[in-house]
Amino acid sequence: GTANLAQLGQKLGTAVTPIQNIVFANPVIPGLAQENKLVGAVFGAQPNKLSKVIDGERGVYVFTVKSFINPAALFNQLKVN
């Protein structure tokens, strides 16, 4: 029954903790733990929508994705003699 994370945090009496720069290849939430379900849900989410509840290894999570940034392209440098 809430529209955003601030309202949900207030309703539950808990703080909202912003987390930035999550990468799919490393499912560790900084300062918390490895949360595979949470990171997978983040990368499957639509920006600016409140997520459903995710039951993780170390807690229960709800999130909103602000945006996704595509990483720089990788280049393989191969020298042929």
Side-chain angles (χ1 to χ4, degrees):
T2 60
N4 61 50
L5 289 175
Q7 288 178 354
L8 181 60
Q10 188 174 37
K11 190 173 188 177
L12 296 174
T14 189
V16 174
T17 305
I19 302 199
Q20 298 178 351
N21 302 325
I22 295 174
V23 294
F24 193 74
N26 183 12
V28 174
I29 304 300
L32 190 60
Q34 183 169 331
E35 287 288 0
N36 297 335
K37 286 169 89 175
L38 176 59
V39 172
V42 165
F43 282 92
Q46 292 182 3
N48 302 312
K49 284 194 166 185
L50 194 61
S51 75
K52 63 179 184 172
V53 175
I54 306 298
D55 186 14
E57 294 292 322
R58 302 264 178 155
V60 178
Y61 306 94
V62 177
F63 62 88
T64 302
V65 173
K66 286 188 178 182
S67 65
F68 290 104
I69 299 171
N70 289 329
L74 296 176
F75 295 97
N76 288 332
Q77 294 182 354
L78 177 64
K79 291 185 179 181
V80 178
N81 290 330

